[in-house]
Amino acid sequence: MTMSEKNQKITRIIACKVFKPAIDALQLEKRYPSLCLTYLPSNLHLRPQELRERMLTRIKAAQKRNERVICLYGDCFPGIGDFCEEYGVTKVPGHYCYEMLLGSKRFRQLLNETVGTYFAEKELIQNFEEYCAIPLELHDEEMKRYCFNQYRRLLYVRQPSDPNLVARAGEVADFLGLSLDISDADYSYLEKSLIGLL
């Protein structure tokens, strides 16, 4: 390691664990030796206040170490953009993790193609009971209708490292009374966004 690499300021990405397969695939840590990553559990979006508090703890710890901080999250708690600005953190552009995994153009196309698209990725499909069915009381038919009546299809955003989840995604779609479609993630949008910030 050269002296300039040693003295280079560390950049810390604080990200939802949903993005770990993408970050691993892009090999950003190999390409940027001064990059460090912190992942927070993907189910924290169910508890926005806790997400905010845990993110703030990680931000303050990183800044105490004089690290530059990038936030890789969608709009997962109210006012996240203002929050990042207040604490001097750069937020990766994008309102939804699915938008970042598919690219804005593809994401909008998919939304426009079927009004009432419910997006899901590996973490949600594998942990559907814990992340969705139990908290929303979806085993109550009335609650299921209330929560999902406006949806027409479940769209599984598949990442290259995912195990075979097609059958499980089909079970979730059947439970919700939705059709199932699959769209493969395209990391080029996320890669461009992150490299632009690094």
Side-chain angles (χ1 to χ4, degrees):
M1 185 181 281
T2 66
M3 189 59 72
S4 64
E5 283 175 327
K6 244 183 215 180
N7 295 333
Q8 199 169 2
K9 188 171 183 175
I10 295 290
T11 295
R12 169 84 48 185
I13 295 179
I14 298 175
C16 178
K17 196 181 172 191
V18 160
F19 292 107
K20 189 176 188 312
I23 301 290
D24 289 348
L26 294 172
Q27 298 188 313
L28 292 181
E29 285 176 292
K30 285 184 183 174
R31 292 157 68 183
Y32 296 90
S34 61
L35 177 64
C36 292
L37 293 155
T38 296
Y39 294 105
L40 295 177
S42 58
N43 63 342
L44 282 176
H45 72 276
L46 297 170
R47 303 184 296 281
Q49 187 57 37
E50 185 183 343
L51 171 58
R52 187 185 190 283
E53 288 163 6
R54 286 179 68 170
M55 194 182 289
L56 183 55
T57 300
R58 301 303 191 285
I59 288 168
K60 286 183 173 177
Q63 290 176 338
K64 199 172 180 181
R65 295 188 297 266
N66 197 34
E67 297 172 353
R68 182 169 76 101
V69 181
I70 293 172
C71 170
L72 179 51
Y73 266 89
D75 293 345
C76 294
F77 61 79
I80 190 171
D82 293 338
F83 166 87
C84 287
E85 201 172 311
E86 180 182 348
Y87 291 101
V89 171
T90 303
K91 185 182 176 303
V92 177
H95 297 292
Y96 308 97
C97 59
Y98 303 106
E99 180 184 357
M100 297 180 203
L101 290 171
L102 291 163
S104 289
K105 186 178 177 185
R106 178 76 181 128
F107 178 71
R108 283 195 301 271
Q109 281 174 345
L110 289 164
L111 278 178
N112 293 334
E113 148 188 317
T114 302
V115 176
T117 295
Y118 181 72
F119 290 85
E121 45 64 55
K122 180 185 79 170
E123 294 274 328
L124 181 60
I125 289 167
Q126 288 181 320
N127 302 285
F128 182 75
E129 277 291 308
E130 180 192 348
Y131 288 10
C132 198
I134 293 170
L136 295 177
E137 300 177 17
L138 297 181
H139 291 287
D140 179 307
E141 287 299 320
E142 196 174 323
M143 280 300 291
K144 185 161 47 174
R145 276 196 303 275
Y146 175 77
C147 294
F148 282 88
N149 195 44
Q150 73 273 31
Y151 291 105
R152 297 291 170 264
R153 71 166 172 177
L154 183 147
L155 192 131
Y156 164 34
V157 178
R158 179 170 55 192
Q159 300 191 61
S161 62
D162 285 4
N164 187 345
L165 291 174
V166 175
R168 177 60 186 145
E171 289 169 7
V172 172
D174 287 346
F175 172 75
L176 296 173
L178 307 176
S179 64
L180 173 67
D181 283 329
I182 297 168
S183 186
D184 290 320
D186 173 2
Y187 295 153
S188 59
Y189 173 85
L190 183 62
E191 181 177 30
K192 187 179 175 184
S193 296
L194 287 171
I195 287 174
L197 295 174
L198 293 170

